[in-house]
Amino acid sequence: MRLSWSIRRFTAAGGPAAALVPFVEETGALLSLLVWLIFGVIAVVPAMEALTWQTALYAVFSLTVVRMLPVALALAGTRLGRPAVLFLSWFGPRGLASVVFGLLALEDLAGPVARPAVTAIAFTVLLSVLAHGLSADPLAKRYGPRLAAPQGTPASPAEIPERRLIRRTPADNRLSGR
């Protein structure tokens, strides 16, 4: 198994406990896949049966304006170009939070009141999985070359300087006037 740079760096600095990092990451990924499998088994068919054009319209609105606009506003002062903002907005925050919010809605709302909310959440998540899954490769291939470093190859982990916290003694503070 090839470890990422951050895991190798953490393992070097974290001692014996850091050896568990790959196991924890793999277990988390497996549990995430299990949650998505259960979501697909339990929620998709009832959501499709209760789907209305209003719910479908809301799902599209939610995946575009409701999600993309806050990300674009958060990136307003970053001097990123329009392609970067659109890319980050489209693939921005997503994940299991929608499923958790759906479960909370189901728990707090009773009976027939919960069904439209759960249908909207389930269809939005399903549409997100399809839309982002189908667009990930083509958009990454289109946008990825714009991110290439102009010098050629990026720095290897060995070339990146290690930063450490500097401990000041009371004598250092007196000398610097603090």
Side-chain angles (χ1 to χ4, degrees):
M1 171 174 56
R2 188 169 194 274
L3 298 177
S4 70
W5 175 81
S6 60
I7 292 175
R8 287 193 315 263
R9 181 103 177 198
F10 179 77
T11 303
L20 295 175
V21 171
F23 171 74
V24 171
E25 284 193 345
E26 294 295 324
T27 304
L30 182 63
L31 290 174
S32 176
L33 291 173
L34 184 63
V35 167
W36 287 114
L37 176 69
I38 293 170
F39 166 78
V41 168
I42 294 173
V44 171
V45 172
M48 294 304 286
E49 289 173 352
L51 186 64
T52 64
W53 69 268
Q54 294 94 339
T55 306
L57 184 64
Y58 171 77
V60 171
F61 183 72
S62 180
L63 291 179
T64 54
V65 177
V66 172
R67 189 165 108 182
M68 293 177 73
L69 185 61
V71 174
L73 289 174
L75 296 172
T78 61
R79 297 185 188 170
L80 293 173
R82 179 175 283 164
V85 171
L86 288 172
F87 186 84
L88 291 172
S89 296
W90 176 247
F91 290 110
R94 59 183 205 237
L96 294 174
S98 299
V99 176
V100 172
F101 292 142
L103 292 173
L104 292 174
L106 188 59
E107 182 179 306
D108 287 347
L109 301 173
V113 177
R115 189 160 180 95
V118 172
T119 299
I121 291 168
F123 186 71
T124 303
V125 170
L126 176 64
L127 187 61
S128 174
V129 168
L130 292 173
H132 295 109
L134 292 173
S135 65
D137 189 49
L139 290 178
K141 285 180 180 175
R142 183 175 178 187
Y143 183 70
R146 297 179 189 193
L147 298 177
Q151 298 92 343
T153 60
S156 70
E159 298 171 9
I160 299 172
E162 185 175 341
R163 295 187 176 140
R164 296 178 182 246
L165 294 175
I166 300 171
R167 291 190 175 201
R168 294 188 179 267
T169 63
D172 293 334
N173 289 339
R174 275 185 260 123
L175 292 174
S176 67
R178 290 187 185 168

PDB file of all heavy atoms in Angstrom, residues 47 50-62 115-124 127:
ATOM      1  N   ALA A  47     -37.838   7.376  -2.012  1.00  0.00           N
ATOM      2  CA  ALA A  47     -37.715   8.750  -2.516  1.00  0.00           C
ATOM      3  C   ALA A  47     -38.178   8.840  -3.962  1.00  0.00           C
ATOM      4  O   ALA A  47     -38.851   9.801  -4.345  1.00  0.00           O
ATOM      5  CB  ALA A  47     -36.269   9.236  -2.392  1.00  0.00           C
ATOM      6  N   ALA A  50     -41.988   8.784  -4.124  1.00  0.00           N
ATOM      7  CA  ALA A  50     -42.654  10.004  -3.653  1.00  0.00           C
ATOM      8  C   ALA A  50     -42.177  11.255  -4.384  1.00  0.00           C
ATOM      9  O   ALA A  50     -42.555  12.366  -4.017  1.00  0.00           O
ATOM     10  CB  ALA A  50     -42.409  10.161  -2.152  1.00  0.00           C
ATOM     11  N   LEU A  51     -41.360  11.097  -5.418  1.00  0.00           N
ATOM     12  CA  LEU A  51     -40.764  12.239  -6.117  1.00  0.00           C
ATOM     13  C   LEU A  51     -41.815  13.040  -6.882  1.00  0.00           C
ATOM     14  O   LEU A  51     -42.652  12.475  -7.590  1.00  0.00           O
ATOM     15  CB  LEU A  51     -39.685  11.738  -7.083  1.00  0.00           C
ATOM     16  CG  LEU A  51     -38.875  12.797  -7.795  1.00  0.00           C
ATOM     17  CD1 LEU A  51     -38.066  13.614  -6.797  1.00  0.00           C
ATOM     18  CD2 LEU A  51     -37.947  12.134  -8.810  1.00  0.00           C
ATOM     19  N   THR A  52     -41.758  14.342  -6.715  1.00  0.00           N
ATOM     20  CA  THR A  52     -42.604  15.261  -7.477  1.00  0.00           C
ATOM     21  C   THR A  52     -41.694  16.180  -8.281  1.00  0.00           C
ATOM     22  O   THR A  52     -40.487  16.244  -8.027  1.00  0.00           O
ATOM     23  CB  THR A  52     -43.482  16.109  -6.539  1.00  0.00           C
ATOM     24  OG1 THR A  52     -42.636  16.931  -5.733  1.00  0.00           O
ATOM     25  CG2 THR A  52     -44.367  15.232  -5.661  1.00  0.00           C
ATOM     26  N   TRP A  53     -42.265  16.917  -9.206  1.00  0.00           N
ATOM     27  CA  TRP A  53     -41.438  17.836  -9.987  1.00  0.00           C
ATOM     28  C   TRP A  53     -40.888  18.948  -9.094  1.00  0.00           C
ATOM     29  O   TRP A  53     -39.792  19.448  -9.318  1.00  0.00           O
ATOM     30  CB  TRP A  53     -42.207  18.393 -11.188  1.00  0.00           C
ATOM     31  CG  TRP A  53     -43.324  19.344 -10.830  1.00  0.00           C
ATOM     32  CD1 TRP A  53     -44.633  19.032 -10.618  1.00  0.00           C
ATOM     33  CD2 TRP A  53     -43.207  20.750 -10.651  1.00  0.00           C
ATOM     34  NE1 TRP A  53     -45.346  20.158 -10.306  1.00  0.00           N
ATOM     35  CE2 TRP A  53     -44.496  21.238 -10.329  1.00  0.00           C
ATOM     36  CE3 TRP A  53     -42.169  21.654 -10.740  1.00  0.00           C
ATOM     37  CZ2 TRP A  53     -44.751  22.580 -10.088  1.00  0.00           C
ATOM     38  CZ3 TRP A  53     -42.421  22.996 -10.500  1.00  0.00           C
ATOM     39  CH2 TRP A  53     -43.708  23.440 -10.181  1.00  0.00           C
ATOM     40  N   GLN A  54     -41.637  19.307  -8.039  1.00  0.00           N
ATOM     41  CA  GLN A  54     -41.152  20.340  -7.120  1.00  0.00           C
ATOM     42  C   GLN A  54     -39.911  19.858  -6.356  1.00  0.00           C
ATOM     43  O   GLN A  54     -38.957  20.616  -6.160  1.00  0.00           O
ATOM     44  CB  GLN A  54     -42.235  20.748  -6.109  1.00  0.00           C
ATOM     45  CG  GLN A  54     -43.421  21.447  -6.724  1.00  0.00           C
ATOM     46  CD  GLN A  54     -44.563  20.491  -7.060  1.00  0.00           C
ATOM     47  OE1 GLN A  54     -44.367  19.284  -7.208  1.00  0.00           O
ATOM     48  NE2 GLN A  54     -45.761  21.041  -7.202  1.00  0.00           N
ATOM     49  N   THR A  55     -39.926  18.599  -5.951  1.00  0.00           N
ATOM     50  CA  THR A  55     -38.784  18.035  -5.237  1.00  0.00           C
ATOM     51  C   THR A  55     -37.579  17.943  -6.160  1.00  0.00           C
ATOM     52  O   THR A  55     -36.449  18.262  -5.761  1.00  0.00           O
ATOM     53  CB  THR A  55     -39.124  16.641  -4.678  1.00  0.00           C
ATOM     54  OG1 THR A  55     -40.303  16.730  -3.884  1.00  0.00           O
ATOM     55  CG2 THR A  55     -37.997  16.087  -3.842  1.00  0.00           C
ATOM     56  N   ALA A  56     -37.788  17.527  -7.388  1.00  0.00           N
ATOM     57  CA  ALA A  56     -36.689  17.450  -8.355  1.00  0.00           C
ATOM     58  C   ALA A  56     -36.110  18.838  -8.632  1.00  0.00           C
ATOM     59  O   ALA A  56     -34.889  19.010  -8.691  1.00  0.00           O
ATOM     60  CB  ALA A  56     -37.168  16.806  -9.646  1.00  0.00           C
ATOM     61  N   LEU A  57     -36.991  19.832  -8.758  1.00  0.00           N
ATOM     62  CA  LEU A  57     -36.534  21.207  -8.977  1.00  0.00           C
ATOM     63  C   LEU A  57     -35.741  21.708  -7.771  1.00  0.00           C
ATOM     64  O   LEU A  57     -34.692  22.334  -7.918  1.00  0.00           O
ATOM     65  CB  LEU A  57     -37.723  22.123  -9.250  1.00  0.00           C
ATOM     66  CG  LEU A  57     -37.400  23.570  -9.590  1.00  0.00           C
ATOM     67  CD1 LEU A  57     -36.620  23.643 -10.892  1.00  0.00           C
ATOM     68  CD2 LEU A  57     -38.683  24.383  -9.697  1.00  0.00           C
ATOM     69  N   TYR A  58     -36.223  21.386  -6.573  1.00  0.00           N
ATOM     70  CA  TYR A  58     -35.488  21.780  -5.371  1.00  0.00           C
ATOM     71  C   TYR A  58     -34.103  21.119  -5.328  1.00  0.00           C
ATOM     72  O   TYR A  58     -33.113  21.747  -4.957  1.00  0.00           O
ATOM     73  CB  TYR A  58     -36.251  21.438  -4.091  1.00  0.00           C
ATOM     74  CG  TYR A  58     -35.378  21.661  -2.886  1.00  0.00           C
ATOM     75  CD1 TYR A  58     -35.151  22.941  -2.407  1.00  0.00           C
ATOM     76  CD2 TYR A  58     -34.712  20.604  -2.282  1.00  0.00           C
ATOM     77  CE1 TYR A  58     -34.299  23.165  -1.339  1.00  0.00           C
ATOM     78  CE2 TYR A  58     -33.859  20.818  -1.213  1.00  0.00           C
ATOM     79  CZ  TYR A  58     -33.664  22.100  -0.746  1.00  0.00           C
ATOM     80  OH  TYR A  58     -32.803  22.308   0.290  1.00  0.00           O
ATOM     81  N   ALA A  59     -34.027  19.862  -5.712  1.00  0.00           N
ATOM     82  CA  ALA A  59     -32.737  19.150  -5.689  1.00  0.00           C
ATOM     83  C   ALA A  59     -31.735  19.821  -6.627  1.00  0.00           C
ATOM     84  O   ALA A  59     -30.576  20.030  -6.259  1.00  0.00           O
ATOM     85  CB  ALA A  59     -32.938  17.689  -6.066  1.00  0.00           C
ATOM     86  N   VAL A  60     -32.179  20.176  -7.815  1.00  0.00           N
ATOM     87  CA  VAL A  60     -31.296  20.869  -8.762  1.00  0.00           C
ATOM     88  C   VAL A  60     -30.898  22.230  -8.204  1.00  0.00           C
ATOM     89  O   VAL A  60     -29.721  22.620  -8.254  1.00  0.00           O
ATOM     90  CB  VAL A  60     -31.976  21.009 -10.138  1.00  0.00           C
ATOM     91  CG1 VAL A  60     -31.179  21.906 -11.064  1.00  0.00           C
ATOM     92  CG2 VAL A  60     -32.185  19.639 -10.764  1.00  0.00           C
ATOM     93  N   PHE A  61     -31.850  22.963  -7.646  1.00  0.00           N
ATOM     94  CA  PHE A  61     -31.580  24.262  -7.041  1.00  0.00           C
ATOM     95  C   PHE A  61     -30.597  24.122  -5.879  1.00  0.00           C
ATOM     96  O   PHE A  61     -29.677  24.921  -5.720  1.00  0.00           O
ATOM     97  CB  PHE A  61     -32.905  24.880  -6.562  1.00  0.00           C
ATOM     98  CG  PHE A  61     -32.776  26.246  -5.981  1.00  0.00           C
ATOM     99  CD1 PHE A  61     -32.519  27.342  -6.784  1.00  0.00           C
ATOM    100  CD2 PHE A  61     -32.936  26.447  -4.614  1.00  0.00           C
ATOM    101  CE1 PHE A  61     -32.405  28.612  -6.244  1.00  0.00           C
ATOM    102  CE2 PHE A  61     -32.826  27.706  -4.064  1.00  0.00           C
ATOM    103  CZ  PHE A  61     -32.557  28.795  -4.883  1.00  0.00           C
ATOM    104  N   SER A  62     -30.778  23.087  -5.093  1.00  0.00           N
ATOM    105  CA  SER A  62     -29.916  22.848  -3.937  1.00  0.00           C
ATOM    106  C   SER A  62     -28.484  22.523  -4.356  1.00  0.00           C
ATOM    107  O   SER A  62     -27.530  22.978  -3.731  1.00  0.00           O
ATOM    108  CB  SER A  62     -30.484  21.698  -3.099  1.00  0.00           C
ATOM    109  OG  SER A  62     -29.677  21.449  -1.987  1.00  0.00           O
ATOM    110  N   ARG A 115     -42.006  12.875   5.456  1.00  0.00           N
ATOM    111  CA  ARG A 115     -41.820  12.263   4.133  1.00  0.00           C
ATOM    112  C   ARG A 115     -41.324  13.241   3.069  1.00  0.00           C
ATOM    113  O   ARG A 115     -40.369  12.919   2.364  1.00  0.00           O
ATOM    114  CB  ARG A 115     -43.100  11.576   3.693  1.00  0.00           C
ATOM    115  CG  ARG A 115     -42.906  10.747   2.434  1.00  0.00           C
ATOM    116  CD  ARG A 115     -44.023   9.717   2.301  1.00  0.00           C
ATOM    117  NE  ARG A 115     -43.857   8.933   1.114  1.00  0.00           N
ATOM    118  CZ  ARG A 115     -43.243   7.761   1.090  1.00  0.00           C
ATOM    119  NH1 ARG A 115     -42.745   7.252   2.179  1.00  0.00           N
ATOM    120  NH2 ARG A 115     -43.135   7.087  -0.034  1.00  0.00           N
ATOM    121  N   PRO A 116     -41.899  14.450   2.910  1.00  0.00           N
ATOM    122  CA  PRO A 116     -41.371  15.363   1.882  1.00  0.00           C
ATOM    123  C   PRO A 116     -39.930  15.790   2.153  1.00  0.00           C
ATOM    124  O   PRO A 116     -39.123  15.896   1.229  1.00  0.00           O
ATOM    125  CB  PRO A 116     -42.314  16.566   1.931  1.00  0.00           C
ATOM    126  CG  PRO A 116     -43.539  16.090   2.609  1.00  0.00           C
ATOM    127  CD  PRO A 116     -43.129  14.982   3.516  1.00  0.00           C
ATOM    128  N   ALA A 117     -39.586  16.018   3.421  1.00  0.00           N
ATOM    129  CA  ALA A 117     -38.220  16.427   3.757  1.00  0.00           C
ATOM    130  C   ALA A 117     -37.234  15.307   3.457  1.00  0.00           C
ATOM    131  O   ALA A 117     -36.177  15.534   2.855  1.00  0.00           O
ATOM    132  CB  ALA A 117     -38.134  16.836   5.224  1.00  0.00           C
ATOM    133  N   VAL A 118     -37.582  14.106   3.866  1.00  0.00           N
ATOM    134  CA  VAL A 118     -36.692  12.966   3.625  1.00  0.00           C
ATOM    135  C   VAL A 118     -36.596  12.681   2.127  1.00  0.00           C
ATOM    136  O   VAL A 118     -35.509  12.363   1.614  1.00  0.00           O
ATOM    137  CB  VAL A 118     -37.170  11.734   4.416  1.00  0.00           C
ATOM    138  CG1 VAL A 118     -36.388  10.493   4.033  1.00  0.00           C
ATOM    139  CG2 VAL A 118     -37.059  11.995   5.906  1.00  0.00           C
ATOM    140  N   THR A 119     -37.702  12.816   1.404  1.00  0.00           N
ATOM    141  CA  THR A 119     -37.680  12.626  -0.053  1.00  0.00           C
ATOM    142  C   THR A 119     -36.763  13.645  -0.711  1.00  0.00           C
ATOM    143  O   THR A 119     -35.955  13.296  -1.575  1.00  0.00           O
ATOM    144  CB  THR A 119     -39.099  12.732  -0.640  1.00  0.00           C
ATOM    145  OG1 THR A 119     -39.908  11.711  -0.058  1.00  0.00           O
ATOM    146  CG2 THR A 119     -39.091  12.589  -2.144  1.00  0.00           C
ATOM    147  N   ALA A 120     -36.874  14.903  -0.310  1.00  0.00           N
ATOM    148  CA  ALA A 120     -36.025  15.954  -0.886  1.00  0.00           C
ATOM    149  C   ALA A 120     -34.551  15.689  -0.586  1.00  0.00           C
ATOM    150  O   ALA A 120     -33.695  15.810  -1.468  1.00  0.00           O
ATOM    151  CB  ALA A 120     -36.436  17.319  -0.342  1.00  0.00           C
ATOM    152  N   ILE A 121     -34.248  15.313   0.637  1.00  0.00           N
ATOM    153  CA  ILE A 121     -32.854  15.039   1.004  1.00  0.00           C
ATOM    154  C   ILE A 121     -32.330  13.822   0.249  1.00  0.00           C
ATOM    155  O   ILE A 121     -31.232  13.853  -0.322  1.00  0.00           O
ATOM    156  CB  ILE A 121     -32.726  14.860   2.527  1.00  0.00           C
ATOM    157  CG1 ILE A 121     -32.977  16.186   3.225  1.00  0.00           C
ATOM    158  CG2 ILE A 121     -31.355  14.303   2.904  1.00  0.00           C
ATOM    159  CD1 ILE A 121     -33.154  16.083   4.716  1.00  0.00           C
ATOM    160  N   ALA A 122     -33.106  12.758   0.226  1.00  0.00           N
ATOM    161  CA  ALA A 122     -32.658  11.532  -0.437  1.00  0.00           C
ATOM    162  C   ALA A 122     -32.456  11.749  -1.934  1.00  0.00           C
ATOM    163  O   ALA A 122     -31.445  11.310  -2.502  1.00  0.00           O
ATOM    164  CB  ALA A 122     -33.659  10.410  -0.195  1.00  0.00           C
ATOM    165  N   PHE A 123     -33.381  12.463  -2.575  1.00  0.00           N
ATOM    166  CA  PHE A 123     -33.231  12.691  -4.016  1.00  0.00           C
ATOM    167  C   PHE A 123     -32.073  13.641  -4.294  1.00  0.00           C
ATOM    168  O   PHE A 123     -31.344  13.466  -5.273  1.00  0.00           O
ATOM    169  CB  PHE A 123     -34.526  13.213  -4.642  1.00  0.00           C
ATOM    170  CG  PHE A 123     -34.432  13.306  -6.133  1.00  0.00           C
ATOM    171  CD1 PHE A 123     -34.411  12.151  -6.906  1.00  0.00           C
ATOM    172  CD2 PHE A 123     -34.327  14.530  -6.761  1.00  0.00           C
ATOM    173  CE1 PHE A 123     -34.297  12.225  -8.277  1.00  0.00           C
ATOM    174  CE2 PHE A 123     -34.213  14.614  -8.137  1.00  0.00           C
ATOM    175  CZ  PHE A 123     -34.192  13.464  -8.899  1.00  0.00           C
ATOM    176  N   THR A 124     -31.882  14.640  -3.450  1.00  0.00           N
ATOM    177  CA  THR A 124     -30.758  15.562  -3.623  1.00  0.00           C
ATOM    178  C   THR A 124     -29.436  14.815  -3.483  1.00  0.00           C
ATOM    179  O   THR A 124     -28.507  15.029  -4.266  1.00  0.00           O
ATOM    180  CB  THR A 124     -30.836  16.719  -2.608  1.00  0.00           C
ATOM    181  OG1 THR A 124     -32.087  17.395  -2.771  1.00  0.00           O
ATOM    182  CG2 THR A 124     -29.707  17.706  -2.806  1.00  0.00           C
ATOM    183  N   LEU A 127     -29.021  12.598  -6.593  1.00  0.00           N
ATOM    184  CA  LEU A 127     -28.655  13.437  -7.737  1.00  0.00           C
ATOM    185  C   LEU A 127     -27.212  13.929  -7.614  1.00  0.00           C
ATOM    186  O   LEU A 127     -26.472  13.973  -8.599  1.00  0.00           O
ATOM    187  CB  LEU A 127     -29.620  14.618  -7.853  1.00  0.00           C
ATOM    188  CG  LEU A 127     -29.482  15.492  -9.087  1.00  0.00           C
ATOM    189  CD1 LEU A 127     -29.721  14.672 -10.355  1.00  0.00           C
ATOM    190  CD2 LEU A 127     -30.462  16.651  -9.014  1.00  0.00           C
TER     191      LEU A 127
END
